[in-house]
Amino acid sequence: MNSVGEACTELKREYDQCFNRWFAEKFLKGEGGGDPCGQLFKRYQLCVQKAIKEKDIPIEGLEFMGPSKGKTENSS
């Protein structure tokens, strides 16, 4: 599957390959320590965030993109 931004698709593929390799070769064998794909994920995440802004995609309320600064909970 391609990424939300064309410029991010290759980064997504690199991250997916890294994660899948780590998951199959390390995590499933009980060697879950470390985060070998963290830097790839951060680069991909920044690219996606930039693409979302450029395409003016509304993301309000989507917590997977990170906590909103200044966000307050409404009490009823």
Side-chain angles (χ1 to χ4, degrees):
M1 176 184 287
N2 288 341
S3 183
V4 67
E6 286 181 40
C8 305
T9 298
E10 187 57 34
L11 285 172
K12 179 185 184 308
R13 286 189 183 125
E14 287 178 38
Y15 171 71
D16 286 347
Q17 287 175 351
C18 181
F19 177 83
N20 290 334
R21 185 172 39 253
W22 168 81
F23 189 78
E25 296 175 5
K26 300 289 184 181
F27 182 79
L28 291 178
K29 295 177 181 176
E31 303 172 29
D35 186 7
C37 306
Q39 290 301 317
L40 280 173
F41 178 75
K42 287 178 184 180
R43 287 178 39 216
Y44 173 57
Q45 184 181 38
L46 289 173
C47 187
V48 167
Q49 289 171 346
K50 181 180 175 188
I52 286 172
K53 286 179 185 177
E54 288 173 354
K55 292 181 179 208
D56 201 25
I57 298 171
I59 59 170
E60 291 78 27
L62 297 179
E63 294 186 28
F64 70 88
M65 292 301 294
S68 298
K69 293 186 181 192
K71 183 179 178 182
T72 60
E73 288 188 26
N74 296 331
S75 56
S76 300

